[in-house]
Structures are given as C-alpha cells and as structure tokens.
Amino acid sequence: VRGTPRSLTELAPRECLRLLGSVSVGRLVFTTRALPAIRPACHVIDGSDLIIGSDADVPAFASAGPGLGPVLAYQADAIDPLSRLGWSVVVVGPARQVTDPGRIAACHQLLAPWVAGTRDHVIAIPSNMITGFRLAASG
Amino acid sequence: VRGTPRSLTELAPRECLRLLGSVSVGRLVFTTRALPAIRPACHVIDGSDLIIGSDADVPAFASAGPGLGPVLAYQADAIDPLSRLGWSVVVVGPARQVTDPGRIAACHQLLAPWVAGTRDHVIAIPSNMITGFRLAASG
C-alpha cells in the first residue's frame, strides 16, 4: 500500500530493453519554444533502434542540420497507482525522423496508427542509451 | 482495438485539472546536463498549485536565482495499452522547491512517501498553464 517502505533499484540495460518491449505506449520528451514538452506516443523495438510513432510536432527536427538529429527522450513505465510499485525506463539519444518511404511503411506495419487523420511521424532513436529502475516493496 | 479510428480532442483547463486530480502518479520533465530528463513522481492539487513529490535531482533549482524557478513540465495520463484510448494532461510552469518546513510537512501528509530512504523533494508549480487531450474512438 501507499505507505509501505519501498526500494528503488537501477536496472541493467538488457532488462530495461525487455521491459520497454513489453509495452507499446510511452511518452516522447522534447523541447518546444524553449519549454519542456511531453506527449504520449507508441513504440516498438526494431533491432538496435527504438521506433516511435508520434503525432507531436518536434520543432528541433526542422532546425537540426542534415544528418543531425535533436536529442530526445522516450519514457515508458508501469507503476501501480495504489501501491506505486513498478518500473520506469528512459531512452535518450539523437533522434532521426524516418523519411525513407519503404522504412516508413515497414514501421507503420509494426506501429498501429496513433491518431486517425493525423500524419503520424516515425522517429528512430538508438536504444543503447537506456536506463531504468524498479520500485519494489522492501523489508 | 488498436486499428480503430480515433479522434484527438483538446480538453478545457477545468477538465484537465479534474483528470489530473483523479490520479496520483505522473512524470516530472526537466533538463539535466543539457539532456531531456523525465522521472515518475507523485502529485496532489493544492489550491492553485500542483504539488509534486519527487526523488529527482533537478539541477536547474540550484542554478535558478533566488525567487526564480526553472520551468518544468509535469505530465499524467491514463491510456489503455490495448485500445490506446484515454487522456493525457501536461502542466508547464515555473517551479519552486518548497522549503518551508511547515508546508513540507503538510505536503508530506498529502503525498505518500515516494521512495524509502530517499529525501523526497517537494516541488510546487502553478496549475494554471494546463493542457490536455482525450483520445476517443471515432465514427
């Protein structure tokens, strides 16, 4: 229950990746108009990339030079609202907007459409900079 | 189901506040080492403030001058993992670290402890800059 002592344990990258792959919805974290922004999105793990489907307009993609991508974060968690136990995982890394039509089509196969009538963006982030923790009951 | 058409509807601030108050766990979004960061946290609405209990070390609190607070974001959502329908709410605003011992004690009464053995920070953000949307089945 809420008042129970709990422990926070950092997770190994492999375990973080496994947990991230066990859910399909997370949150894309970026900056817009110099303010922190966050928006729910959906994801799949595709080889060494995390593939994100999002309706968010991420301004940094426009300002980044060719071949460069803004550093974004993507977070997913599963935390019980009552016990507040569970896990959280964050991937941080340089993001690329997927523009190759073939790869977009393949990603759309993996990612169910997010919002009807909205042009979903497909974003790829290397999945190697991944951290996470587990909140567990202690004692 | 996942493939069902859905509509995204922006929510009025009053409805956003009601939804935010209906859950107790969300995510604090900030910047650390020039990188986007996000960490689960717990919250309550206290008058015109959103009160956040967090174990996150938010570096911007140290660099902000007296009386100034960094602009942080706080997000909560309830999105069904299968249908991907639900809502998301974000509060953005200048955050203050609550340092008054009396108010910290009162906030700790409202917020259940987040992590045992960690010094929880208590952070206040005005709740008036609140936005959100609902994803609903359409058609």
Side-chain angles (χ1 to χ4, degrees):
Chain A
V1 295
R2 280 168 54 133
T4 305
R6 70 270 309 287
S7 64
L8 187 151
T9 311
E10 299 291 332
L11 297 172
R14 185 182 299 264
E15 176 70 356
C16 292
L17 209 56
R18 187 188 70 77
L19 290 167
L20 183 61
S22 73
V23 296
S24 65
V25 173
R27 294 142 207 102
L28 185 64
V29 182
F30 55 103
T31 300
T32 186
R33 299 179 195 174
L35 294 174
I38 172 173
R39 195 156 177 101
C42 59
H43 68 275
V44 291
I45 296 165
D46 181 31
S48 62
D49 277 346
L50 175 68
I51 303 291
I52 299 160
S54 173
D55 66 321
D57 274 318
V58 181
F61 278 117
S63 56
L68 292 174
V71 173
L72 304 183
Y74 189 81
Q75 188 263 2
D77 60 40
I79 295 178
D80 183 89
L82 288 181
S83 70
R84 296 182 179 178
L85 303 179
W87 56 266
S88 171
V89 164
V90 180
V91 174
V92 176
R96 311 180 302 287
Q97 205 157 6
V98 176
T99 54
D100 175 71
R103 193 166 186 210
I104 287 180
C107 290
H108 277 306
Q109 288 287 325
L110 297 170
L111 298 162
W114 181 239
V115 178
T118 304
R119 199 176 72 82
D120 283 2
H121 303 287
V122 177
I123 297 166
I125 302 185
S127 63
N128 57 311
M129 284 179 62
I130 188 169
T131 57
F133 62 83
R134 189 183 289 280
L135 285 169
S138 68
Chain B
V1 295
R2 278 168 54 136
T4 304
R6 69 270 308 289
S7 64
L8 188 152
T9 310
E10 300 292 331
L11 297 172
R14 185 182 299 264
E15 176 69 357
C16 292
L17 209 57
R18 188 189 69 77
L19 290 167
L20 183 61
S22 73
V23 297
S24 65
V25 173
R27 294 141 206 103
L28 185 64
V29 181
F30 55 104
T31 301
T32 185
R33 298 180 197 174
L35 293 174
I38 171 172
R39 197 157 175 100
C42 58
H43 68 274
V44 291
I45 295 166
D46 181 32
S48 62
D49 277 345
L50 175 68
I51 303 291
I52 300 161
S54 173
D55 66 321
D57 275 318
V58 181
F61 279 117
S63 57
L68 291 175
V71 173
L72 303 183
Y74 189 81
Q75 188 263 1
D77 60 40
I79 295 179
D80 183 90
L82 288 181
S83 70
R84 296 182 179 176
L85 302 179
W87 57 266
S88 170
V89 164
V90 179
V91 175
V92 176
R96 313 179 302 285
Q97 205 156 6
V98 176
T99 53
D100 175 70
R103 191 165 186 209
I104 288 180
C107 290
H108 276 307
Q109 288 288 324
L110 296 170
L111 297 162
W114 182 238
V115 177
T118 303
R119 197 176 73 82
D120 282 3
H121 303 286
V122 176
I123 297 166
I125 302 185
S127 64
N128 58 311
M129 284 179 62
I130 188 167
T131 57
F133 62 83
R134 187 184 291 280
L135 285 168
S138 68

